[in-house]
Amino acid sequence: MKRTEKSVIEVCLFPAAGYGTRFLPATKAMPKEMLPILTKPLIQYGVEEAISAGCHTMAIVTGRGKRAIEDHFDISYELESQIKGSSKDALLDGLRDVMNVATFSYTRQKEMKGLGHAILTGESLVGKEAFAVILADDLCYSKDKSVLTQMVEVYEKYKCSVVAIEEVDLAEVNKYGVIDGSEIEPNIYKVKSLVEKPSPNKAPSNLAIIGRYILTPDIFDILRTTKPGINNEIQITDALMKQAENGKVLAYKFSGKRYDCGSMDGFVKATNDFYNMPL
């Protein structure tokens, strides 16, 4: 993997502190972000997508029991000495390439208080520039430009926060943050409001936010004063609503396919599709 040209978005934040309870008992001792699609863990797919978009600093918010993520993006001298010179040595080439072009930093989210809180926890790793956010259990595939690359292009033009959206069945909107917006150019919407997990009869649309964001740094000050919402958690949609009130949030209907690998159905679908995908 070659180092891509420097992007206007240098840092990608990965909230990775959740318990992954939908995959118990597999996730009792293994982070859900390390669940593999074929031979590669979910978080590595996310890091590779970030690199493709020009991000080279990976800021990962972890929690207790997540050391496997740090170990994955590090050298394993014992393993590598055992397979050196064998046919299996090449199996680590892709991961070595990732480690050569990206730097990794970590901090821990001590309490699970929602995605907004996880993002706020990563402030010290991000700095004062706009940054990307990838939720690793939303695995995205695009044949040409990656989803995050597409979003960076939108950010370069408009210089405001951008959320990735896709159309979902109206019966499914209660699983997502949902936008109300007007299309200002093909597949780009100016967001008027956002609602977290609305019931189908109260949803402003069926345009659901998925696990890809580009956020401007003022989001941290907003998150600091955002009160807990649904499930008594600090919701990123509530903070984005504050930005949207000032006309500073766009939603982008991306080109590509997204797999909800936080669910068993999505995980199995991704595994089957990637297995049958031509190389």
Side-chain angles (χ1 to χ4, degrees):
M1 178 177 292
K2 294 181 179 179
R3 186 176 179 91
T4 53
E5 292 183 9
K6 184 175 176 62
S7 168
V8 292
I9 306 296
E10 171 65 20
V11 180
C12 187
L13 180 68
F14 289 83
Y19 295 120
T21 53
R22 284 185 286 180
F23 279 86
L24 286 170
T27 51
K28 181 177 182 291
M30 178 175 69
K32 66 175 181 177
E33 295 81 10
M34 291 298 296
L35 290 171
I37 300 298
L38 305 184
T39 60
K40 191 186 300 181
L42 286 167
I43 196 164
Q44 186 176 333
Y45 284 101
V47 168
E48 290 175 356
E49 181 181 342
I51 292 171
S52 76
C55 304
H56 297 109
T57 301
M58 309 301 156
I60 304 178
V61 179
T62 65
R64 291 180 297 278
K66 299 279 187 166
R67 281 293 303 275
I69 296 174
E70 297 183 42
D71 290 341
H72 182 70
F73 295 109
D74 197 0
I75 295 172
S76 174
Y77 291 103
E78 296 84 357
L79 171 63
E80 296 195 27
S81 66
Q82 287 294 320
I83 64 175
K84 186 176 181 179
S86 73
S87 60
K88 295 181 180 179
D89 193 26
L91 297 176
L92 289 178
D93 285 350
L95 179 57
R96 291 182 183 122
D97 289 344
V98 165
M99 292 163 55
N100 285 335
V101 301
T103 59
F104 295 83
S105 58
Y106 302 87
T107 190
R108 283 196 173 192
Q109 184 183 14
K110 297 179 178 64
E111 298 178 84
M112 304 299 106
K113 293 183 178 180
L115 177 57
H117 182 263
I119 291 172
L120 182 59
T121 300
E123 181 180 13
S124 62
L125 304 179
V126 169
K128 299 184 182 301
E129 303 295 330
F131 62 100
V133 177
I134 287 181
L135 306 187
D137 53 5
D138 267 352
L139 174 58
C140 292
Y141 172 78
S142 180
K143 186 176 181 180
D144 299 313
K145 295 177 182 177
S146 71
V147 172
L148 194 60
T149 298
Q150 297 169 48
M151 295 175 68
V152 167
E153 291 177 353
V154 175
Y155 173 79
E156 286 180 319
K157 182 174 181 179
Y158 290 96
K159 295 295 191 295
C160 67
S161 291
V162 184
V163 299
I165 56 170
E166 68 174 359
E167 293 189 43
V168 299
D169 290 337
L170 199 58
E172 301 286 309
V173 293
N174 61 343
K175 300 178 181 178
Y176 301 92
V178 177
I179 72 144
D180 180 16
S182 54
E183 195 169 19
I184 59 175
E185 63 174 278
N187 299 320
I188 298 177
Y189 296 77
K190 184 175 183 179
V191 176
K192 298 175 185 175
S193 65
L194 308 95
V195 184
E196 181 68 22
K197 297 181 174 64
S199 58
N201 63 329
K202 292 184 178 180
S205 72
N206 70 331
L207 296 174
I209 301 170
I210 64 110
R212 299 292 184 277
Y213 305 79
I214 293 177
L215 302 173
T216 51
D218 57 304
I219 198 72
F220 293 122
D221 287 336
I222 297 172
L223 283 168
R224 266 187 281 276
T225 60
T226 298
K227 295 181 180 179
I230 298 292
N231 298 327
N232 201 35
E233 295 178 338
I234 298 174
Q235 303 291 343
I236 188 61
T237 49
D238 292 339
L240 285 166
M241 184 62 213
K242 294 292 185 182
Q243 288 187 329
E245 290 172 357
N246 295 317
K248 294 183 178 180
V249 179
L250 295 178
Y252 174 65
K253 190 189 294 184
F254 61 90
S255 174
K257 187 165 186 178
R258 166 248 181 189
Y259 299 89
D260 177 12
C261 292
S263 71
M264 188 63 68
D265 288 346
F267 185 83
V268 172
K269 175 68 172 170
T271 300
N272 289 336
D273 284 3
F274 275 61
Y275 180 78
N276 291 302
M277 199 175 288
L279 297 176

